[in-house]
């Protein structure tokens, strides 16, 4: 009998960017209620959520990542502004966008999506939008508070070198998610 694991492929963030995300969340929390915030240490630039995959598929994912990173070079990843999915009028997810490195991360995400679909992982049904998820909205009491908080908060113009991609296992527990690195591959 085979086992499955919940997993995703992402770019890990630098300690400086995680610290900035913590400050941003600390500023937003007293202004916006009804949000389940993501711990900054758990925030990544997710390139592909794989869902529950057979443990035997992990080796195939490793092979895909090795092939993709043969032609992908390190790049600079920079933070842009706050946003909400699907829209600021109907916010469900609060995020920070990516300005520098948006094209490179989109190319990586699309290449990964194409390759892993070859062994049965469903392709994304929508275009990749590089972002860092800060929180998920359960029930927003005051939409104007969100808009005002977004307008008053400036995201620092931080950037980092994105030099590797990582395959994570994700285990959901009551307090959130626990991520374990399964495999890392350097961009060349």
């Amino acid at each position: 009998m085979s086992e499955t694991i919940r997993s995703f492929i992402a770019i890990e963030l630098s300690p400086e960017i995680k610290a900035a995300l913590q400050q941003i969340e600390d500023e937003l929390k007293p202004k916006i209620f009804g949000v389940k915030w993501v711990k900054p240490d758990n925030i990544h630039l997710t390139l592909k959520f794989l869902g529950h995959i057979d443990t035997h598929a992990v080796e195939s994912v490793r092979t895909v990542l090795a092939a993709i990173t043969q032609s992908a070079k390190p790049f600079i990843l920079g933070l842009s502004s706050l946003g909400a999915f699907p829209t600021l009028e109907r916010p469900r997810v609060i995020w920070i966008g990516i300005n520098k490195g948006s094209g490179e991360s989109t190319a990586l995400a699309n290449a990964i999506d194409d390759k892993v679909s070859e062994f049965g992982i469903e392709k994304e049904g929508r275009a990749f939008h590089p972002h860092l998820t800060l929180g998920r909205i359960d029930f927003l009491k005051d939409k104007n508070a969100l808009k005002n908080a977004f307008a008053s908060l400036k995201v620092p113009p931080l950037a980092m070198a994105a030099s590797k991609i990582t395959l994570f296992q994700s285990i959901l527990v009551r307090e959130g998610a626990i991520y374990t690195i399964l495999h890392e591959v350097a961009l060349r």
Side-chain angles (χ1 to χ4, degrees), residues 51 98 101 104 109 137 145 157 176 178 188:
I98 300 297
E104 292 90 339
I137 296 173
I178 298 172
R188 298 169 192 247

Side-chain angles (χ1 to χ4, degrees), residues 2-9 48-58 61 116 119-122 167-173 182:
S2 66
E3 292 182 33
T4 63
I5 59 169
R6 187 173 191 265
S7 59
F8 65 96
I9 298 166
K48 174 70 179 171
F49 178 71
L50 301 173
H52 289 273
I53 62 170
D54 190 291
T55 51
H56 300 296
V58 170
V61 173
V116 298
F119 53 91
I121 295 176
E122 190 172 328
L167 171 63
F168 287 95
Q169 178 179 8
S170 169
I171 298 174
L172 296 177
V173 295
L182 297 177

Side-chain angles (χ1 to χ4, degrees), residues 43-86:
I43 298 176
H44 307 88
L45 174 58
T46 301
L47 299 172
K48 174 70 179 171
F49 178 71
L50 301 173
H52 289 273
I53 62 170
D54 190 291
T55 51
H56 300 296
V58 170
E59 192 53 42
S60 298
V61 173
R62 287 180 178 185
T63 302
V64 163
L65 296 181
I68 289 172
T69 55
Q70 288 295 318
S71 59
K73 297 186 182 323
F75 58 94
I76 299 299
L77 193 67
L79 303 182
S80 64
S81 57
L82 287 162
F85 288 135

